[in-house]
Amino acid sequence: MLILQTVNELKEWVRDTKKAGDSIGLVPTMGFLHEGHLSLVKKAKAENDKVVMSIFVNPAQFGPNEDFDRYPRDLKRDQELAEGAGTDVIFAPSVEEMYPRESQIQLTAGAQADVLCGAKRPGHFDGVLKVVTKLFHLVEADLAYFGQKDAQQLAIIESLVEDYNFPMAIRRGETVREADGLAKSSRNVYLSGAERNEAPHLKKALEMGKELVLKGQDPIEPMTKYLTNHTSGVIDYIELLDYPTLTTTIRQNAILALAVKFEKARLIDNIIFHPKGN
Ligand code: PAF
């Protein structure tokens, strides 16, 4: 496995790889890898000749009071895990390498960013669009892989690729969970022991909410009560929307999504399902 840290090294590798006729799958990450990331690498390995994983904690997507500085980082551990899952190249640039000057052009997410995390984290998805646009151009990937745990991010990136004709396709990866239902996340390490024991109730609340939706009932209030009774966290949002449009009129699939703030970790989770139960 190669570890590349500069744009020039990456471009050279991409040029050689394309010349050899090999397809490239990209798995963008912020590191501190867990099985969710590794399942994306395995999917990418099965569908492409070469797999590039980017590891870059992107300052552009963190708000001023968010956890950029204390976001967990462990490149050595990440290298071992990435290689074990079949990654061919890790691209791990510095902030200066990725953003050598202040951008003169800004990318802004549309209405899909007005709900859920986008409503709570102003500018977050603009920062995600900024970094993935650069990564897509640098890596010239045929396919790029994103997990469904970050369902809003996935929907917005699919819009970017569709609206601006990026010559590539996005692949969705299922949310990977712990045995007790907690969605895997790099931020789970922030949970205290007591919070970790409460955290599986997020998935339980979603399952309960889904059953109510299938019965034609409004899930928000019962889910709010359930989470308030079973966790010490503060509910940031619980929303039921159409997926992937993220509008309030459910036409295709429904997404039931929530965010709960614990002492040091803000956890998100969701389930996507057909509102008629098919
Ligand atoms: O999902 C993440 O880890 C990040 O938002 C991403 C897509 C790697 C962009 O920095």
Side-chain angles (χ1 to χ4, degrees):
M1 186 181 69
L2 284 172
I3 298 163
L4 307 179
Q5 291 181 309
T6 68
V7 164
N8 282 341
E9 286 169 330
L10 177 65
K11 279 187 174 166
E12 202 178 313
W13 179 85
V14 169
R15 205 164 39 236
D16 292 347
T17 305
K18 294 268 159 186
K19 212 186 262 170
D22 285 344
S23 62
I24 303 176
L26 169 66
V27 181
T29 81
M30 298 204 300
F32 215 70
L33 303 177
H34 52 69
E35 279 160 49
H37 300 115
L38 302 180
S39 75
L40 295 178
V41 171
K42 285 176 196 150
K43 210 167 148 69
K45 192 75 185 168
E47 296 177 345
N48 302 271
D49 298 314
K50 299 284 179 200
V51 177
V52 176
M53 173 190 281
S54 59
I55 298 183
F56 178 63
V57 185
N58 172 33
Q61 70 187 74
F62 287 79
N65 299 317
E66 294 184 356
D67 55 348
F68 175 71
D69 287 329
R70 64 185 181 95
Y71 195 84
R73 293 161 169 91
D74 190 344
L75 192 55
K76 200 172 163 324
R77 175 180 165 275
D78 287 346
Q79 283 172 18
E80 280 162 25
L81 291 172
E83 184 157 28
T87 304
D88 296 287
V89 173
I90 286 182
F91 177 53
S94 65
V95 173
E96 296 71 35
E97 185 68 18
M98 208 54 184
Y99 300 129
R101 62 174 209 179
E102 199 172 314
S103 303
Q104 300 302 302
I105 306 295
Q106 306 299 335
L107 299 174
T108 310
Q112 280 170 306
D114 292 345
V115 293
L116 308 173
C117 289
K120 302 286 173 182
R121 303 181 68 191
H124 167 69
F125 288 112
D126 300 345
V128 170
L129 291 176
K130 177 174 176 158
V131 78
V132 298
T133 296
K134 289 189 69 117
L135 290 169
F136 290 171
H137 287 136
L138 289 171
V139 176
E140 296 182 41
D142 299 280
L143 298 170
Y145 295 78
F146 294 88
Q148 224 151 250
K149 193 195 78 125
D150 297 309
Q152 186 174 22
Q153 166 173 280
L154 176 57
I156 290 171
I157 292 170
E158 285 177 349
S159 292
L160 172 74
V161 167
E162 184 178 337
D163 287 355
Y164 290 94
N165 308 92
F166 280 56
M168 58 183 301
I170 301 298
R171 290 278 197 264
R172 299 176 178 182
E174 301 260 306
T175 301
V176 178
R177 297 179 181 280
E178 304 287 353
D180 61 12
L182 173 64
K184 301 239 182 194
S185 162
S186 306
R187 289 186 168 101
N188 289 348
V189 292
Y190 296 151
L191 294 171
S192 70
E195 290 172 340
R196 174 64 189 83
N197 290 336
E198 296 167 8
H201 287 296
L202 273 60
K203 173 70 166 33
K204 290 193 180 135
L206 289 168
E207 292 293 349
M208 186 189 89
K210 174 180 165 181
E211 291 312 310
L212 293 171
V213 174
L214 294 179
K215 284 193 229 154
Q217 294 170 23
D218 187 337
I220 308 299
E221 205 185 307
M223 287 175 70
T224 305
K225 272 199 187 127
Y226 180 89
L227 285 170
T228 310
N229 289 339
H230 290 86
T231 79
S232 56
V234 176
I235 298 167
D236 208 17
Y237 64 73
I238 305 173
E239 288 182 55
L240 175 67
L241 297 166
D242 184 69
Y243 196 80
T245 64
L246 303 180
T247 51
T248 47
T249 310
I250 296 167
R251 290 196 187 87
Q252 311 167 29
N253 285 310
I255 181 169
L256 191 52
L258 54 78
V260 176
K261 279 183 175 165
F262 289 95
E263 188 93 12
K264 294 204 181 82
R266 178 178 174 280
L267 301 188
I268 60 171
D269 200 354
N270 69 78
I271 39 174
I272 296 171
F273 57 98
H274 196 279
K276 300 270 183 301
N278 317 328

